[in-house]
Amino acid sequence: MPLWVLFQDTRSIFSKDELNSEIAKIAIPATFGLMADPIASLVDTAFIGHLGPVELAAVGVAIAVFNQASKIAIFPLVSVTTSFVAEEDSATSSSSILDDIELQPRSKSDNEKMLLLPKHGPENTNKRRHVSSASSALLIGAMLGLIQAFLLIVSAKPLLSYMGIKSDSPMLSPAYKYLTLRSLGAPAVLLSLAMQGVFRGFKDTKTPLYAIVMGGVVNIVLDPILIFVFKMRVTGAAIAHVCSQYLISVVLLWKLIEQVDLLPPNINDLQLGRFLKNGFLLLVRVIAATFCVTLAASLSARLGSTEMAAFQVCLQVWLAASLLTDGLAVAGQAILAGAFARQDYESAKETAGRVLQLSLALGLVLAFIVGVGLTFSSGLFTKDVKVLQILSLGIPFVAATQPINSLAFVFDGINYGASDFRYSAFSMVLVAFASVACLLLLSSYYGFVGIWVALSIFMSLRAIAGVWRIGTASGPWSFLNIY
């Protein structure tokens, strides 16, 4: 099978070669950046958990609604932006090198040649880039953020009702307060994620990390002050999170303006049609995936506040640990997008194989860390004995699925790097149909455990879809047939 080509040369998986260095340079800062929002949610969860199980469950539902609504816009925007910026930047760099070669005179002295070489001298190091994809991403991100904020605020109560929080539920008031206030930060979230996509396309994940760390520190400092000192409870947690998001957005915009000319000379250069076409395909994919996770949270809420509180802790740890591997997906996408733009298929094959091997190794390590860590640290999230009992049932699933999740996330990044957006969308729709059926059936018979079995099936099917595309050497991977 062509897939086995990607698992050759496993001896180089931990070597200090050039490819591993490039992957690490992108993946490590990206991983910490991706972890920031789940960690912020975990911080909120830990503080709010000491207010009581009702508040913990309520905020859990509100976070699930906000996160799933955000993912509908974020992942298409960020994924498309990363690929397009990487392709455009790679093509521009290649063109610049060719221009330099052509402009070198053949009959003059070496000193004269050096004077005529453009673009690489010290005088040009601060020149801003002209990348139209960056302008497109920011424009679309700002618009989507405003729309998301409006829709979430207007439809907060119907959404919470769909999630199982009825009008007579004690969870309604804290959940409504948290969701509406946190929705005010949606424009900052979407705009900052669009800018992170631009920086990823430049293979620069350090700049977003610095901004995210600043925002995270602000969130951690404000949480206990607003929640306990000013006695604002869940309202304080939401305000702290919104403040951190706007700080991140301002810092990223300031740094991006220094590097990129955000005003293209012609509106046609914005490539809005291309963004919207491929963004729509990924939107279909994200809606399908989001529906599965949202349905799982809704089914947990219908079991009661105790089950929902346990599900919230498990879900946040599940997502936070899994996103460690998503840093590899970001690195794979950025490097592969440039390789495909240059039609460097040997580099594409080597990169895809390396990130898949690394993801599997990382997933196995995470399975052990999560299984042991969550078993002994669950008391940090709640002191409620009933919640802890149910939480212990979900820990084995959260831990055991880490290798599967790692492969699934990295396969996503690989396919995005190959601009294989159509297959990504349609395969996820098929996976979602099967997963929804499993969720409804297993939850009705086995409750909390059944929901986690279904989520494990969901992630397994996602990984299988990635294996199938590359394993059959179809679409952009047809070149694997020659190896």
Side-chain angles (χ1 to χ4, degrees):
M1 291 178 61
L3 180 67
W4 303 132
V5 175
L6 302 182
F7 285 92
Q8 295 176 352
D9 194 26
T10 55
R11 291 174 297 180
S12 301
I13 183 173
F14 298 121
S15 64
K16 296 181 180 180
D17 59 11
E18 184 178 352
L19 178 57
N20 271 352
S21 298
E22 186 175 15
I23 291 173
K25 182 180 178 182
I26 301 172
I28 293 176
T31 297
F32 287 109
L34 289 165
M35 288 285 292
D37 195 63
I39 287 176
S41 295
L42 278 174
V43 171
D44 288 347
T45 300
F47 282 119
I48 294 169
H50 293 283
L51 297 176
V54 172
E55 285 82 358
L56 177 60
V59 171
V61 176
I63 289 176
V65 172
F66 183 85
N67 285 348
Q68 300 311 320
S70 296
K71 286 179 183 178
I72 292 176
I74 286 173
F75 278 103
L77 177 61
V78 176
S79 298
V80 170
T81 299
T82 300
S83 292
F84 287 0
V85 170
E87 291 173 3
E88 191 173 350
D89 191 49
S90 178
T92 302
S93 299
S94 299
S95 177
S96 298
I97 293 173
L98 290 175
D99 289 344
D100 290 352
I101 295 173
E102 290 175 359
L103 287 172
Q104 291 183 27
R106 299 181 180 276
S107 58
K108 296 188 177 183
S109 67
D110 290 340
N111 289 335
E112 291 174 316
K113 289 180 181 180
M114 292 299 295
L115 291 172
L116 291 174
L117 284 176
K119 301 181 182 178
H120 297 303
E123 72 280 1
N124 293 295
T125 54
N126 295 323
K127 186 176 181 179
R128 292 195 298 174
R129 304 176 182 176
H130 295 278
V131 182
S132 59
S133 300
S135 302
S136 304
L138 265 63
L139 177 61
I140 295 174
M143 292 175 60
L144 289 176
L146 292 172
I147 293 172
Q148 180 183 320
F150 174 77
L151 292 178
L152 281 176
I153 293 172
V154 171
S155 59
K157 288 186 176 179
L159 287 172
L160 292 173
S161 177
Y162 167 76
M163 294 292 290
I165 300 182
K166 303 303 180 183
S167 58
D168 58 345
S169 172
M171 293 188 287
L172 179 60
S173 178
Y176 178 76
K177 289 178 182 178
Y178 189 89
L179 179 58
T180 52
L181 285 172
R182 187 160 171 177
S183 298
L184 296 175
V189 172
L190 270 294
L191 194 58
S192 66
L193 265 295
M195 289 185 282
Q196 288 183 49
V198 174
F199 282 110
R200 290 180 192 176
F202 293 150
K203 300 180 182 179
D204 174 13
T205 51
K206 289 184 179 180
T207 300
L209 176 60
Y210 296 147
I212 291 168
V213 168
M214 292 176 63
V217 171
V218 168
N219 185 59
I220 292 173
V221 171
L222 289 180
D223 255 340
I225 295 174
L226 297 180
I227 294 173
F228 302 112
V229 177
F230 288 96
K231 301 185 184 301
M232 299 176 70
R233 301 176 73 83
V234 298
T235 300
I239 292 175
H241 202 94
V242 169
C243 290
S244 69
Q245 291 298 330
Y246 275 98
L247 175 61
I248 293 170
S249 184
V250 169
V251 172
L252 284 176
L253 184 60
W254 170 47
K255 299 301 292 185
L256 188 62
I257 290 175
E258 292 181 348
Q259 300 184 33
V260 180
D261 185 357
L262 296 177
L263 296 176
N266 193 319
I267 193 170
N268 294 326
D269 294 336
L270 288 175
Q271 307 179 54
L272 294 179
R274 188 182 179 211
F275 258 87
L276 294 176
K277 176 185 175 181
N278 291 284
F280 176 77
L281 289 172
L282 286 189
L283 178 62
V284 172
R285 174 187 173 81
V286 172
I287 290 175
T290 297
F291 184 80
C292 293
V293 178
T294 305
L295 178 61
S298 176
L299 292 172
S300 298
R302 294 174 193 276
L303 295 175
S305 60
T306 302
E307 288 80 359
M308 182 59 209
F311 179 84
Q312 163 66 6
V313 174
C314 286
L315 183 66
Q316 292 302 320
V317 174
W318 194 57
L319 294 175
S322 299
L323 285 175
L324 282 168
T325 315
D326 217 15
L328 285 175
V330 171
Q333 180 184 1
I335 298 172
L336 281 168
F340 275 100
R342 300 187 305 270
Q343 297 185 351
D344 184 358
Y345 297 124
E346 178 63 31
S347 176
K349 177 183 74 71
E350 186 179 2
T351 301
R354 188 67 59 84
V355 293
L356 282 173
Q357 294 167 27
L358 289 170
S359 71
L360 185 57
L362 180 57
L364 292 172
V365 173
L366 286 175
F368 175 78
I369 294 175
V370 170
V372 175
L374 189 55
T375 299
F376 292 100
S377 64
S378 55
L380 295 174
F381 299 100
T382 180
K383 300 298 182 183
D384 190 279
V385 176
K386 293 182 178 179
V387 175
L388 289 173
Q389 288 176 344
I390 297 176
L391 181 61
S392 65
L393 299 176
I395 292 175
F397 295 99
V398 176
T401 53
Q402 291 306 313
I404 300 171
N405 295 355
S406 296
L407 285 174
F409 283 128
V410 169
F411 270 122
D412 289 345
I414 287 173
N415 286 327
Y416 297 159
S419 295
D420 199 5
F421 300 120
R422 184 179 297 275
Y423 175 80
S424 296
F426 291 131
S427 63
M428 180 56 76
V429 171
L430 295 177
V431 167
F433 274 118
S435 301
V436 167
C438 290
L439 276 167
L440 295 175
L441 181 64
L442 294 174
S443 64
S444 63
Y445 284 99
Y446 303 105
F448 182 83
V449 172
I451 291 172
W452 277 102
V453 171
L455 285 175
S456 301
I457 293 173
F458 167 62
M459 293 306 300
S460 299
L461 292 175
R462 287 182 60 174
I464 291 171
V467 170
W468 180 267
R469 187 59 157 177
I470 297 180
T472 56
S474 53
W477 301 101
S478 58
F479 70 87
L480 289 175
N481 285 316
I482 67 176
Y483 290 98

